[in-house]
Amino acid sequence: DWKKAGVDGMTRRVLVGSNAPRVTIAPEAGVLVAEWDAASGVSVTGSNVTAWADTTANNNDLDTAAGAPQYNATGLNSLPTILFDGTDDALSGATLTNMPTGNADRTIIAVCKRLGGYYGGIGYGGTADNTQFVLSGYPTDPSSTSCRLALQGGNGAAGNDLISSEVLPTTEWFVHTARLSEGSPVIWKNTNNVTQVPYSHTYETTATEILFGKEPGAANFMNIEVAYACVYSEAIPDPELTAIIAALMTTYGIVPSPADTTPDGPYNYGTQVGLPITGQATSNPITVTGIDAPTSIAITTDGGNAQFRINGGAWRSSSTTIESGQTHEVKHDNSGSYNTPTVSIVTLDGT
C-alpha cells in the first residue's frame, strides 16, 4: 500500500504493509539526501560489518569501519539491524554530498535501540564545537547511567546541545528524530515532540564526516543497534513527519512501552530534632530516579506552610511535575510547641 502525505504541493510516499521488507521513501528530487537501510547495501565479513551504503544517488556511504559492528539478519521483528558495542565500534564516511550544512533546514530520522553509553550516536558534522548534528543521549547527571534523548551540536557546556525531557530507553526500539527549521531545533521520540522548551540556535554544521556509534572528535562510543536512518535537506512539517514516522513504526513493528512515572522510593527526607519551636526545617536534596517521563509532585502537611523546590529553584506549595535526575527539597514550619513534631508528606506520581 502507498500512503501519501502532501504539504505545500509536495508529496512524499511511504511504502507500508506486512509484505514490505523495508520502508521506501520517495520524495521529490534532492530532499532525501541520505538513507541507510540495514536491509540493503550492507557489506559484511562473516557477521562483521565493513561498510553501509547510502541508498540514494548521493553516495553518502559509511565506508570505513572501526571495531567490529555486528550484522543481525533478524534483529528487529525479522528485519536486519547493525549493532555497535559501545567500546570501539563505529561506521563512518568522509565523502558527503548535498548534506545540509551551517544553519540550513534539515531532518534526521533513525530507527534504533540504545543499550548503553551516551554522547555520539547517529549523525554527521565535524569535531569542532557547534559543527555537529547528531542524534544522541545526554546523561541525566554526571554519575548516572541513564540519559535523555538529545541532539548533539558539539560542546553542550557552550549551549550547543539540545536536551529533551525524555529519558532514553535502554530496552526499547523507537524512532529518534531531530529537525531544524529556521534555527529552531526539535526532538521527537516516535510520533511525539519531546522538546523540553522552545529553543533557538545557530548551528555551524560542516559536511566533514558521517559517523554512527561514536562521538565526533572524542573517544565516547554509544552501545546502540540501528535498523534504519535517513537525512532530509528540509524541515519536514509535522503532519508529514508524523506520517513518515508512523510508517516506520508500522514497518518495523515498533509498539511504544507505557511511560514509567513511578519513581524509586520511598525517599527518606530525614527527621530533625532539637530545633527551635518556631522557624522552619529544610530537608536535604533528594534526587528522583526510576522514571522515564515527567511525574507529578505534591506536598501536604499537618502544620503550616509546607513547600518544596526543584533543582534549587523557587519554593512552591502547589503541585507540578518533576523529571528523572532532578532534585527536590522540602521545608515546613516548625510546630510552635515543645515535643510536637510537624509531619509533611511529599507525593510523587500520586503515591
Side-chain angles (χ1 to χ4, degrees), residues 141-202:
D141 65 76
S143 62
S144 177
T145 57
S146 67
C147 64
R148 302 179 190 177
L149 286 176
L151 168 61
Q152 184 171 327
N155 190 354
N160 299 325
D161 297 345
L162 174 62
I163 306 163
S164 78
S165 59
E166 187 77 19
V167 174
L168 204 160
T170 56
T171 59
E172 175 187 341
W173 282 95
F174 67 102
V175 182
H176 189 175
T177 301
R179 179 184 66 199
L180 178 62
S181 177
E182 297 182 348
S184 296
V186 293
I187 301 170
W188 287 38
K189 178 188 175 187
N190 297 327
T191 55
N192 298 313
N193 184 336
V194 296
T195 309
Q196 192 167 1
V197 293
Y199 182 67
S200 180
H201 187 68
T202 301

Side-chain angles (χ1 to χ4, degrees), residues 39-125:
S40 175
V42 179
S43 300
V44 297
T45 299
S47 62
N48 295 344
V49 177
T50 58
W52 194 358
D54 173 15
T55 66
T56 77
N58 289 315
N59 297 319
N60 288 306
D61 301 331
L62 298 165
D63 53 16
T64 300
Q70 294 295 295
Y71 179 77
N72 185 343
T74 56
L76 173 56
N77 294 321
S78 299
L79 293 173
T81 61
I82 297 175
L83 174 65
F84 300 83
D85 67 1
T87 301
D88 59 1
D89 288 354
L91 288 171
S92 61
T95 303
L96 283 67
T97 303
N98 292 328
M99 298 289 277
T101 58
N103 204 41
D105 287 0
R106 72 203 66 163
T107 306
I108 181 170
I109 304 171
V111 177
C112 56
K113 177 172 69 173
R114 172 189 173 261
L115 300 169
Y118 37 75
Y119 304 130
I122 302 166
Y124 69 100

Side-chain angles (χ1 to χ4, degrees), residues 1-3 14-17 19:
D1 296 324
W2 285 98
K3 184 174 182 178
V14 184
L15 179 62
V16 298
N19 62 334

Side-chain angles (χ1 to χ4, degrees), residues 14-48:
V14 184
L15 179 62
V16 298
S18 60
N19 62 334
R22 55 184 288 272
V23 163
T24 300
I25 302 173
E28 63 278 13
V31 172
L32 181 65
V33 295
E35 181 187 48
W36 303 273
D37 189 324
S40 175
V42 179
S43 300
V44 297
T45 299
S47 62
N48 295 344

